[in-house]
Amino acid sequence: MDQRVFWVFASAVCLLSLTVHSSSGQTYPLTDEGGLGRVFDGIGGLSGGGATSRLLVNYAEPYRSQILDYLFKPNFGASLHILKVEIGGDAQTTDGTEPSYMHYENDENFFRGYEWWLMKEAKKRNPNITLIALPWAFPGWVGRGKNWPYDFPDVTAAYVVNWVIGAKKYHDLDIQYIGIWNERSFNSKYIKVLRNMLDSVGLTDVGIVAADGDWSIAKSLIADPHLNDSVQVIGAHYPGTTTVPEALTTKKKLWSSEDYSTFNDDVGGGCWARILNQNYVNGQMTATISWNLVASYYQELPFGRDGLMTAQEPWSGNYVVESPIWITAHSTQFTQPGWTYLQTVGHFAQGGSYVALTDGNGNLTVVIETMTHDHSICIRPPLPPFNVTSQNATFQLKGSFASIKELQVWRSHFDLKAKKHSLFEKLPPVKLVDGSFTLNLAEDEVYTLTTIRTGQKGSFPEPPPSARFPKAYKDNFDTRNPPFSEAPNFADQTGVFEYYINLTDPGPHTFTLRQVVTERPITWATDADQTVTVIGDYQWQNMMVTCDVFMENVQSGGVFVAARVDKGGQSVRSAKGVFFWVFADGSYKVTNDLAGQSVLAEGQSGTRPFDWHNLSLSVKGQSASGMLDGRQLWNVTGVSSPKNGWAAIGTHSFELAQFDNFNVLAE
């Protein structure tokens, strides 16, 4: 390029830059004169609503603790204020099942599952973290024969209250809020019964979040004083940053009690940045809780990687600190529950939003976001069009903040074109002149300006590289005192598979994996009629799956091993694959589907209940064969689909059955 042309070009670019940067902009006051806004209740993550932390517990140290630090450790990563967990109900609730502490009415065990462990780990890192629990589903006995938990409100309330008591008795965990399951409609009678029962056992400080679904309960709260007194928080799911007039009229705390649910790439980070601010600016919501906390389940299950970070490879130790972690830090590291929003919050003239909070002792934190539409789309609800452009914004501090001379600055910038992002970077402090400062705000940025000096972008050495699930894998379940009730890497999709000590068998099958749910649970999801747990690499095509099986139903019992299982989660009922079944009546069947309708082969097997049998299933290309107790039983060709999927084991119905010496060898 000719040198004179170059300098003309460079001067034009510089002039253009100066023109943009020197535009007049708007002035936005930040003041506590005239009062403050609502009290801030925090930002959190949700473990559950479908076994979303399932793989986390299987990570080896130090990686598991590192992941937990990124989530919960104050002034390090996301530094979450809230942890919400599922009260397991033995049922499919999105990506899997979590065990109930009461499979049956005469059963009680407060050491099943991993939510107890997770809450304790969160409390270790942040003793002040708020703990919330919600049952997404219930064991079948709660419904007394009906697939609905509220026809017998005393039974359901006692089940929930007993869980809260057990959390304290066995784990020293104080649950601060209980949510009301609301996938169909809230039940005012149940809410009142639950409130009365909590109060009667001294749990008056445990608040109720209702209806943990939408804003529809607000009208009922206004009309029913008893119901109004029973509820402390109105919780909505995926509110799209807006509320309704009736909810505001109640003067209750308003929370987005489940939100985000978006793939955690950089657009997901933009979604999270936008709603964290605008849930308050637009909807006066004082808490926002991400579904989910950490994407720690097989990615091919529904809503894969919809967590604040990704930890789905315990076999390799690899995890990824995604952008939503650092977007969360912009708020959580510089505020705490109990701080108060200023009334002077809102939208910028050229798009974006800002919130400001104070602790009442002179500290001030301002969080700004300028996320553009296409770079901040959440999975739901649909996002109406809006525009954001670069702009100057001048902030004028007044009232008790007028004397502030300096603010710490943290910035994130998403450059989605160049894919070069700067996340949660500390910039030089901004000096205020006469209580004023000006920022040039580009598109797709997040700023925190604060008097708090303790912020930190925590880090650890890089975790091990990503790796596929091992092609050769086996588990004999011989663990005398397992740390968790689930065997590593098995992801229960229907039913619950737990470690079991068979005291009647002191021989080779003393320690087994047992399917323990014998009655269809109460759930909003479509559980399969069969129980199934999956494991392995979804991309597997050719494999051999071997397992010892033991049926405990005399007449109708049946078990299977499977390969190429192509669906799980809410879609598990329609799962396809190659399923090798044997039954207590001495027959076998090979099907192309979990429902058992597409039959590839069938005949007599000689299998019987209360006896151990060894099943071996081999699938290669379009051929499949099966062996029973060391002898070939069947062989089929023409298995054209599915092409790939997980290995699996399961039962013919909700029934007791045991599995041992599981082995898979994939090519």
Short mmCIF file of all heavy atoms in Angstrom, two decimals, residues 43-48 52 80 82-84 238 256-262 272 275-276 287-294 306-309 324 328:
data_model
loop_
_atom_site.label_atom_id
_atom_site.label_comp_id
_atom_site.label_asym_id
_atom_site.label_seq_id
_atom_site.Cartn_x
_atom_site.Cartn_y
_atom_site.Cartn_z
N ILE A 43 -27.54 -15.15 44.08
CA ILE A 43 -27.45 -15.86 42.79
C ILE A 43 -27.01 -17.28 43.08
O ILE A 43 -26.12 -17.51 43.90
CB ILE A 43 -26.46 -15.15 41.86
CG1 ILE A 43 -27.00 -13.76 41.50
CG2 ILE A 43 -26.19 -15.97 40.61
CD1 ILE A 43 -25.99 -12.89 40.79
N GLY A 44 -27.66 -18.24 42.43
CA GLY A 44 -27.38 -19.62 42.77
C GLY A 44 -27.40 -20.58 41.60
O GLY A 44 -27.64 -20.20 40.44
N GLY A 45 -27.13 -21.83 41.93
CA GLY A 45 -27.17 -22.92 40.97
C GLY A 45 -28.01 -24.05 41.49
O GLY A 45 -28.19 -24.20 42.70
N LEU A 46 -28.50 -24.87 40.58
CA LEU A 46 -29.45 -25.92 40.91
C LEU A 46 -28.87 -27.28 40.55
O LEU A 46 -28.54 -27.53 39.39
CB LEU A 46 -30.75 -25.68 40.14
CG LEU A 46 -32.03 -26.32 40.64
CD1 LEU A 46 -33.23 -25.67 39.96
CD2 LEU A 46 -32.05 -27.81 40.40
N SER A 47 -28.75 -28.12 41.55
CA SER A 47 -28.33 -29.51 41.34
C SER A 47 -29.56 -30.38 41.43
O SER A 47 -30.12 -30.57 42.51
CB SER A 47 -27.30 -29.94 42.38
OG SER A 47 -27.03 -31.32 42.27
N GLY A 48 -29.99 -30.92 40.31
CA GLY A 48 -31.19 -31.75 40.34
C GLY A 48 -32.15 -31.34 39.26
O GLY A 48 -31.77 -30.72 38.27
N THR A 52 -28.43 -33.90 37.43
CA THR A 52 -27.48 -33.11 36.65
C THR A 52 -26.08 -33.06 37.24
O THR A 52 -25.15 -32.63 36.56
CB THR A 52 -28.01 -31.67 36.50
OG1 THR A 52 -28.30 -31.14 37.79
CG2 THR A 52 -29.27 -31.65 35.65
N LEU A 80 -21.03 -18.81 44.51
CA LEU A 80 -22.49 -18.80 44.57
C LEU A 80 -23.02 -18.52 45.96
O LEU A 80 -22.48 -18.98 46.96
CB LEU A 80 -23.03 -20.13 44.05
CG LEU A 80 -22.79 -20.39 42.55
CD1 LEU A 80 -23.17 -21.80 42.19
CD2 LEU A 80 -23.55 -19.38 41.69
N ILE A 82 -26.34 -19.28 46.62
CA ILE A 82 -27.47 -20.18 46.80
C ILE A 82 -27.15 -21.52 46.17
O ILE A 82 -26.59 -21.58 45.07
CB ILE A 82 -28.74 -19.61 46.14
CG1 ILE A 82 -29.16 -18.28 46.77
CG2 ILE A 82 -29.90 -20.60 46.22
CD1 ILE A 82 -30.25 -17.55 46.00
N LEU A 83 -27.52 -22.60 46.85
CA LEU A 83 -27.52 -23.94 46.26
C LEU A 83 -28.91 -24.53 46.43
O LEU A 83 -29.42 -24.64 47.55
CB LEU A 83 -26.49 -24.85 46.92
CG LEU A 83 -26.54 -26.33 46.50
CD1 LEU A 83 -26.32 -26.48 44.99
CD2 LEU A 83 -25.54 -27.17 47.29
N LYS A 84 -29.52 -24.86 45.32
CA LYS A 84 -30.84 -25.51 45.33
C LYS A 84 -30.66 -26.95 44.88
O LYS A 84 -29.97 -27.20 43.88
CB LYS A 84 -31.79 -24.76 44.40
CG LYS A 84 -33.20 -25.32 44.35
CD LYS A 84 -34.06 -24.44 43.44
CE LYS A 84 -35.48 -24.96 43.33
NZ LYS A 84 -36.31 -24.11 42.44
N TYR A 238 -38.05 -19.56 34.35
CA TYR A 238 -37.82 -18.97 33.03
C TYR A 238 -38.80 -17.83 32.75
O TYR A 238 -39.55 -17.85 31.78
CB TYR A 238 -37.91 -20.06 31.95
CG TYR A 238 -37.07 -21.25 32.32
CD1 TYR A 238 -37.65 -22.40 32.88
CD2 TYR A 238 -35.69 -21.22 32.18
CE1 TYR A 238 -36.88 -23.48 33.28
CE2 TYR A 238 -34.91 -22.29 32.57
CZ TYR A 238 -35.50 -23.42 33.12
OH TYR A 238 -34.73 -24.48 33.52
N SER A 256 -36.50 -15.68 40.43
CA SER A 256 -36.43 -16.59 39.29
C SER A 256 -35.81 -17.87 39.82
O SER A 256 -34.58 -18.04 39.83
CB SER A 256 -35.59 -15.99 38.16
OG SER A 256 -35.55 -16.88 37.07
N SER A 257 -36.67 -18.75 40.30
CA SER A 257 -36.20 -19.91 41.06
C SER A 257 -35.68 -21.04 40.18
O SER A 257 -35.15 -22.02 40.70
CB SER A 257 -37.31 -20.42 41.98
OG SER A 257 -38.49 -20.66 41.24
N GLU A 258 -35.83 -20.90 38.87
CA GLU A 258 -35.14 -21.76 37.91
C GLU A 258 -35.04 -20.99 36.60
O GLU A 258 -36.04 -20.54 36.05
CB GLU A 258 -35.88 -23.09 37.70
CG GLU A 258 -35.16 -24.02 36.73
CD GLU A 258 -35.86 -25.34 36.55
OE1 GLU A 258 -36.42 -25.86 37.54
OE2 GLU A 258 -35.89 -25.86 35.41
N ASP A 259 -33.81 -20.83 36.12
CA ASP A 259 -33.60 -19.99 34.95
C ASP A 259 -32.38 -20.49 34.18
O ASP A 259 -31.75 -21.47 34.57
CB ASP A 259 -33.40 -18.52 35.38
CG ASP A 259 -33.98 -17.53 34.38
OD1 ASP A 259 -33.99 -17.83 33.17
OD2 ASP A 259 -34.42 -16.45 34.81
N TYR A 260 -32.08 -19.85 33.09
CA TYR A 260 -30.91 -20.10 32.24
C TYR A 260 -31.13 -21.30 31.32
O TYR A 260 -31.54 -21.13 30.19
CB TYR A 260 -29.66 -20.28 33.09
CG TYR A 260 -28.39 -20.53 32.30
CD1 TYR A 260 -27.91 -19.61 31.40
CD2 TYR A 260 -27.69 -21.71 32.46
CE1 TYR A 260 -26.76 -19.84 30.67
CE2 TYR A 260 -26.53 -21.96 31.73
CZ TYR A 260 -26.08 -21.03 30.83
OH TYR A 260 -24.94 -21.27 30.12
N SER A 261 -30.83 -22.53 31.77
CA SER A 261 -31.09 -23.75 31.00
C SER A 261 -30.60 -23.62 29.56
O SER A 261 -31.29 -24.00 28.62
CB SER A 261 -32.60 -24.07 31.02
OG SER A 261 -32.85 -25.32 30.41
N THR A 262 -29.40 -23.10 29.38
CA THR A 262 -28.89 -22.76 28.06
C THR A 262 -27.48 -23.33 27.88
O THR A 262 -26.70 -23.38 28.83
CB THR A 262 -28.88 -21.23 27.88
OG1 THR A 262 -30.22 -20.75 27.97
CG2 THR A 262 -28.28 -20.81 26.55
N TRP A 272 -26.82 -15.42 30.35
CA TRP A 272 -26.72 -15.34 31.82
C TRP A 272 -26.43 -13.91 32.26
O TRP A 272 -27.02 -13.42 33.23
CB TRP A 272 -25.66 -16.32 32.29
CG TRP A 272 -25.51 -16.55 33.75
CD1 TRP A 272 -24.35 -16.48 34.47
CD2 TRP A 272 -26.52 -16.95 34.69
NE1 TRP A 272 -24.57 -16.80 35.78
CE2 TRP A 272 -25.89 -17.10 35.95
CE3 TRP A 272 -27.88 -17.20 34.59
CZ2 TRP A 272 -26.59 -17.48 37.11
CZ3 TRP A 272 -28.59 -17.58 35.73
CH2 TRP A 272 -27.94 -17.71 36.97
N ILE A 275 -29.78 -11.80 31.86
CA ILE A 275 -30.90 -12.05 32.78
C ILE A 275 -30.52 -11.77 34.23
O ILE A 275 -31.40 -11.42 35.03
CB ILE A 275 -31.46 -13.48 32.62
CG1 ILE A 275 -30.43 -14.55 32.99
CG2 ILE A 275 -31.98 -13.69 31.21
CD1 ILE A 275 -30.98 -15.97 32.91
N LEU A 276 -29.24 -11.91 34.59
CA LEU A 276 -28.87 -11.60 35.97
C LEU A 276 -29.17 -10.14 36.30
O LEU A 276 -29.60 -9.82 37.41
CB LEU A 276 -27.39 -11.89 36.21
CG LEU A 276 -27.00 -13.35 36.41
CD1 LEU A 276 -25.51 -13.48 36.67
CD2 LEU A 276 -27.79 -13.99 37.54
N ALA A 287 -33.52 -12.85 43.33
CA ALA A 287 -32.65 -14.02 43.27
C ALA A 287 -32.84 -14.67 41.92
O ALA A 287 -33.96 -14.70 41.38
CB ALA A 287 -32.96 -15.02 44.39
N THR A 288 -31.76 -15.20 41.37
CA THR A 288 -31.80 -15.94 40.11
C THR A 288 -30.99 -17.22 40.31
O THR A 288 -29.84 -17.16 40.76
CB THR A 288 -31.24 -15.12 38.94
OG1 THR A 288 -32.04 -13.95 38.76
CG2 THR A 288 -31.24 -15.93 37.66
N ILE A 289 -31.60 -18.35 39.96
CA ILE A 289 -30.97 -19.66 40.18
C ILE A 289 -30.85 -20.38 38.84
O ILE A 289 -31.84 -20.58 38.13
CB ILE A 289 -31.78 -20.50 41.18
CG1 ILE A 289 -31.91 -19.75 42.52
CG2 ILE A 289 -31.14 -21.87 41.38
CD1 ILE A 289 -32.84 -20.42 43.51
N SER A 290 -29.64 -20.76 38.52
CA SER A 290 -29.36 -21.41 37.24
C SER A 290 -29.68 -22.90 37.28
O SER A 290 -29.20 -23.62 38.15
CB SER A 290 -27.88 -21.24 36.87
OG SER A 290 -27.52 -22.12 35.82
N TRP A 291 -30.50 -23.35 36.31
CA TRP A 291 -30.53 -24.77 35.99
C TRP A 291 -29.66 -24.95 34.76
O TRP A 291 -29.99 -24.46 33.70
CB TRP A 291 -31.95 -25.27 35.67
CG TRP A 291 -31.99 -26.77 35.56
CD1 TRP A 291 -32.21 -27.66 36.57
CD2 TRP A 291 -31.78 -27.55 34.37
NE1 TRP A 291 -32.14 -28.95 36.07
CE2 TRP A 291 -31.88 -28.91 34.74
CE3 TRP A 291 -31.51 -27.25 33.03
CZ2 TRP A 291 -31.73 -29.95 33.82
CZ3 TRP A 291 -31.35 -28.28 32.11
CH2 TRP A 291 -31.46 -29.61 32.51
N ASN A 292 -28.52 -25.61 34.98
CA ASN A 292 -28.18 -26.26 36.24
C ASN A 292 -26.86 -25.74 36.77
O ASN A 292 -26.21 -24.91 36.13
CB ASN A 292 -28.14 -27.78 36.05
CG ASN A 292 -27.30 -28.20 34.85
OD1 ASN A 292 -26.09 -28.02 34.83
ND2 ASN A 292 -27.94 -28.70 33.80
N LEU A 293 -26.51 -26.25 37.92
CA LEU A 293 -25.29 -25.85 38.60
C LEU A 293 -24.05 -26.18 37.79
O LEU A 293 -23.20 -25.32 37.52
CB LEU A 293 -25.23 -26.54 39.97
CG LEU A 293 -23.92 -26.41 40.75
CD1 LEU A 293 -23.80 -25.02 41.32
CD2 LEU A 293 -23.86 -27.46 41.87
N VAL A 294 -23.92 -27.44 37.44
CA VAL A 294 -22.75 -27.91 36.70
C VAL A 294 -23.21 -29.02 35.76
O VAL A 294 -23.91 -29.94 36.17
CB VAL A 294 -21.65 -28.41 37.66
CG1 VAL A 294 -22.17 -29.42 38.66
CG2 VAL A 294 -20.45 -28.97 36.90
N ASP A 306 -25.87 -27.64 29.83
CA ASP A 306 -26.64 -26.47 30.25
C ASP A 306 -26.30 -26.05 31.68
O ASP A 306 -27.18 -25.64 32.44
CB ASP A 306 -28.15 -26.76 30.15
CG ASP A 306 -28.67 -26.60 28.74
OD1 ASP A 306 -27.85 -26.57 27.81
OD2 ASP A 306 -29.90 -26.53 28.56
N GLY A 307 -25.05 -26.13 32.06
CA GLY A 307 -24.63 -25.76 33.40
C GLY A 307 -23.71 -24.56 33.39
O GLY A 307 -23.22 -24.13 32.34
N LEU A 308 -23.43 -24.04 34.58
CA LEU A 308 -22.51 -22.90 34.69
C LEU A 308 -21.10 -23.28 34.26
O LEU A 308 -20.34 -22.43 33.80
CB LEU A 308 -22.50 -22.37 36.12
CG LEU A 308 -23.83 -21.80 36.64
CD1 LEU A 308 -23.69 -21.35 38.08
CD2 LEU A 308 -24.31 -20.64 35.77
N MET A 309 -20.74 -24.56 34.43
CA MET A 309 -19.48 -25.07 33.92
C MET A 309 -19.71 -26.52 33.53
O MET A 309 -20.79 -27.08 33.74
CB MET A 309 -18.36 -24.92 34.95
CG MET A 309 -18.54 -25.71 36.22
SD MET A 309 -17.16 -25.47 37.40
CE MET A 309 -15.79 -26.25 36.53
N PRO A 324 -20.08 -18.68 31.86
CA PRO A 324 -21.05 -18.30 32.91
C PRO A 324 -20.45 -18.24 34.32
O PRO A 324 -20.97 -17.52 35.17
CB PRO A 324 -22.12 -19.39 32.80
CG PRO A 324 -22.09 -19.80 31.37
CD PRO A 324 -20.63 -19.77 31.01
N THR A 328 -21.04 -14.87 36.47
CA THR A 328 -21.59 -14.93 37.82
C THR A 328 -20.71 -14.13 38.78
O THR A 328 -21.21 -13.39 39.63
CB THR A 328 -21.68 -16.38 38.30
OG1 THR A 328 -22.33 -17.18 37.32
CG2 THR A 328 -22.46 -16.48 39.61
#
